[in-house]
Amino acid sequence: MADDLPTSMVWRAIPGYPGYCVTNMGQVLSCWSRGGRTAKMTKTWKRMAGDNCNGYRRVCLQRPDGKIYRVFVHVLVLEIFVGPRPPSMEACHGDGNRAN
């Protein structure tokens, strides 16, 4: 499925969440299709819209055990493209815009 990823941005898989990717520009992609009560992985990647929480965008990701987690997109980008966030530290937005 990695061959289906767009090439204009840098996309990386989200560890612990198979079927999800994030770009260095903060776009989250899912290849999960939900039909009724079941979800199945497809070959079609779709961008996830997410929701807004105090100006920060977050998305719901599902782990293989079925548990769903709400994660902030800016934290995903930081941890996947830069490295783990040290304890008691926050992700910083260089331009001050929480949506970036």
Side-chain angles (χ1 to χ4, degrees):
M1 284 191 195
D3 297 333
D4 298 338
L5 295 176
T7 57
S8 60
M9 292 186 207
V10 179
W11 292 87
R12 293 195 182 156
I14 301 174
Y17 299 94
Y20 296 98
C21 293
V22 66
T23 181
N24 55 340
M25 301 300 289
Q27 295 178 351
V28 181
L29 222 59
S30 169
C31 68
W32 288 99
S33 173
R34 304 208 188 290
R37 294 179 177 226
T38 60
K40 63 180 179 176
M41 199 177 286
T42 67
K43 291 188 176 188
T44 305
W45 291 90
K46 295 181 183 177
R47 286 196 172 102
M48 297 178 67
D51 65 357
N52 185 324
C53 180
N54 295 324
Y56 296 105
R57 198 163 63 91
R58 65 182 177 179
V59 293
C60 291
L61 304 179
Q62 186 171 351
R63 290 196 181 229
D65 62 5
K67 292 183 182 177
I68 297 174
Y69 295 87
R70 286 186 177 187
V71 295
F72 288 104
V73 174
H74 67 283
V75 174
L76 278 175
V77 172
L78 172 70
E79 292 180 346
I80 292 173
F81 287 94
V82 177
R85 182 175 47 151
S88 74
M89 299 298 285
E90 295 181 8
C92 179
H93 301 270
D95 61 0
N97 183 351
R98 292 179 176 184
N100 292 341

